[in-house]
Amino acid sequence: MDLTKIYKIYQSHPSFQEIRQHLEKKELFRLSLHGLVGSSVSMFFSALAETSSKVHLCVFEDKDAAAYFYSDVKNMLHKDPILFFPSSYKRSVQYKQPDNGNIILRTNVLNRLNQYTEKESGRLVIISHPEALTEKVSSKQNIDDNTLQIHAGEKISIEFIHEVLDEYGFELVDFVYEPGQYALRGGLVDVFSFTAEYPYRIDFFGDEVETIRSFEVESQLSKLTYNKISILPNLETRGSSHKNSLLETLPAHSTIWCSNIAYVAERISEIYNSTHIEQEETKKEHSLLMGSEFLEHLSKYGVVEFQRKAYFPNAIAFNFSTKPQPAFKKNFTLLGDNLKLHLAQEYDTCIFSDSEKQIERLHAIFDDTHQGIPFKNVLKAIHAGFIDEDLKLCYFTDHEIFDRYHKYQLHAYHSSKAALSLRELKDLKPGDYVVHVDHGIGQFGGLERVNQNGKIQEVIRLVYRDNDVIQVSIHSLHRISKYKGKDDSPPRVHKLGTGTWQKLKTATKRKVKDIAKDLIALYAKRKSKTGFSFSPDTYLQEELEASFIYEDTPDQLKATKAVKTDMEKSIPMDRLICGDVGFGKTEIAIRAAFKAVAYEKQVAILVPTTILALQHYNTFKRRLKEFPCSVNYVSRLKKPSEQKKVLTEASHGTLDILIGTHRIIGKDIKFKDLGLLIIDEEQKFGVAAKEKLKALKVNVDSITMTATPIPRTLQFSLL
């Protein structure tokens, strides 16, 4: 089923036509909708908004509630302009930490409203929250004074754009990677406006704009082509001191939807009053909104309330019969009984999920527990499930069934990898040491512009011994890296034209070959051994993976699948899992460990520190508490008597998962039936420990995890 059509069922609701007639009226109205819960609010709103051609401002109690509503509505009305209006700060108005992504969203809303005409623009949906509304915005005049519009085909000089962008406060840089920057290169102008998630590239033929494209910072590849663009600076820091509330900028006959009017007004007043006293002058200049002003502006528009008790005494009330999705707490028998009950009562029963894998897991669990339930599924998530008794709908979400965290995304703008490398390049100072893959260690001599075949191009100047210089094109940035030594002593700068750097690389390759010989011997031994071949996943494995409270990343899914595929082979597994801290390596290890335990095999987890051993123990214990699996650890933090007890359990096979430091590769430790070895940060173990690991790993499946893959570890994995 398709979420872009499923919400339209609310257009058949008994109250729909009457509410729609009120919304189309030109005079003021007050409506109060009682009983809508979960995502029934966003579905009913989308059904109404689709039939309207005006501006709708939806205000929720906090950013999360607003963001989840935005995510739902954007998925349903995906072809319409659905805009989010956040605070310009990362947390709140009180904490002065501007966020470029938020400023882009705010500026885009103001630009859309400034250009809005009811006949041409039609429907426009803006979703916001109190922290955002507290900050007043630029007036229409100020936006007009700070907007540069450029059309494809128009006559305009690059010098004029240069002057205007300087006037607007844009920064001239060599490479554009953040909003508020622009770059000039021959007949190209790159500019990152505060109204777009990607920068624009304007291509000139003489004084005529030939093409306008957006492009990705990282790859420099074009995304979309435009006939017209609007370039705006950061309006939060620019323009007149007198500002307006967002509500003052709305067109006449707009509709305001609010989930709790009294709370929103109170929250706006609270933020206003708690702003630090040194900002009192700012408040006097009307850059912050007061709660009373919010209520005053509200009285000028048609208002629809989503709350139990109407704020306006004269509001016309409409009642709905919806209930929130029950809390099943991963009890699939209870879930199955509930679905069967609603199916028997002829309810339209759906489960919503962004992940096809989650739907497959549910089917597998129902099949294994002999509850073949023919529920429908929608491959697009809604935030909160509900049961609608008026329309006989039973709409559940997979993340609520499995107690998983449901995330939202407000904007695509982020500092990409390329932006970081460009920042590093920008931060390099003449004299800093760099390494060129072909020429060795030299010193950074700065950026230069050179004439190549009549075209001006940027190059990077590298200085070697005896002041020899090479110029590297910016398109070869990937061949240069900043020198990182093991101490603060300066490195030896190489001389161009000699074989020193090549000899060093050859010697390094020779050493790698020596390491490879040892590895080949080990792998030959492993190939000759037969490992344990695990069977495909059981429903318990599906249940464990589905209970992960976060959405799996694509790389997590890929790594998990690869690990389980290797475990199901008869050849012993040896896999490297590499990922930064907090990216989910431990979750992959938990799933692999549980797969081993499900087939009565033991798991050893080797970590370099006692703190990490305790941390892993708590994580494994918490994730596996609902499953038949015993977990313990050994380290110097435990008393000798406790350690002896744990080792005895491991040797008798009554302990499934043992976590520990070097202690678990001691001579006195014996496993009854070890099936999986997991090593965290292998590079931190010494040579002696690694020799013992080699003996352990000959016919045992093994996983090595690291957040800091040193070249040696990566080389091992590649060879």
Side-chain angles (χ1 to χ4, degrees), residues 211-266:
T211 58
I212 305 171
R213 295 162 288 159
S214 59
F215 67 94
E216 286 187 338
V217 170
E218 186 174 344
S219 64
Q220 296 287 301
L221 295 175
S222 298
K223 288 188 69 66
L224 297 172
T225 303
Y226 299 86
N227 290 321
K228 178 180 75 171
I229 58 169
S230 296
I231 299 170
L232 276 79
N234 183 352
L235 296 173
E236 309 293 331
T237 59
R238 183 171 177 77
S240 61
S241 59
H242 182 76
K243 294 187 174 183
N244 301 322
S245 159
L246 177 69
L247 277 72
E248 290 179 90
T249 66
L250 297 178
H253 312 305
S254 297
T255 300
I256 311 246
W257 305 67
C258 197
S259 64
N260 193 331
I261 293 171
Y263 175 84
V264 170
E266 185 182 332

Side-chain angles (χ1 to χ4, degrees), residues 177 477 627:
Y177 59 85
L477 277 177
F627 300 90

Side-chain angles (χ1 to χ4, degrees), residues 431-435 440-443 465 482-494:
D432 285 352
Y433 294 101
V434 294
V435 181
I441 300 170
Q443 288 181 286
R465 199 192 299 176
K482 188 172 182 178
Y483 173 80
K484 295 184 176 82
K486 60 182 178 182
D487 51 37
D488 293 332
S489 58
R492 182 167 172 257
V493 175
H494 290 117

Side-chain angles (χ1 to χ4, degrees), residues 45 55-60 66-67 69-71 73-74 77-86 102 104-114 116 123-129 195 197 246 250 409-411:
F45 170 81
V55 174
H56 300 271
L57 172 63
C58 307
V59 183
F60 287 81
F69 181 81
Y70 166 81
S71 180
V73 174
K74 195 166 181 64
L77 302 175
H78 68 295
K79 292 180 180 176
D80 289 12
I82 313 298
L83 308 178
F84 192 81
F85 188 78
N102 287 350
I104 286 173
L105 293 175
R106 286 174 67 88
T107 310
N108 192 27
V109 169
L110 297 179
N111 185 46
R112 289 290 190 104
L113 285 174
N114 195 46
Y116 182 86
R123 181 168 51 254
L124 181 63
V125 176
I126 302 166
I127 299 161
S128 191
H129 54 100
T195 57
E197 292 174 351
L246 177 69
L250 297 178
Q409 183 176 353
L410 297 179
H411 53 79

Side-chain angles (χ1 to χ4, degrees), residues 560-589:
T560 302
K561 185 179 179 182
V563 165
K564 291 193 294 186
T565 301
D566 281 358
M567 289 177 75
E568 289 167 16
K569 292 177 181 175
S570 58
I571 301 168
M573 171 179 69
D574 195 354
R575 185 165 284 275
L576 171 67
I577 303 292
C578 173
D580 210 343
V581 176
F583 275 54
K585 299 187 299 296
T586 307
E587 176 63 21
I588 296 167

Side-chain angles (χ1 to χ4, degrees), residues 3 94 124 128 326 529:
L3 184 57
Q94 296 104 306
L124 181 63
S128 191
K529 298 283 183 179

Side-chain angles (χ1 to χ4, degrees), residues 347-360:
Y347 273 67
D348 184 24
T349 307
C350 285
I351 294 180
F352 292 73
S353 174
D354 278 326
S355 169
E356 195 167 349
K357 181 71 176 172
Q358 286 292 92
I359 298 296
E360 288 173 8

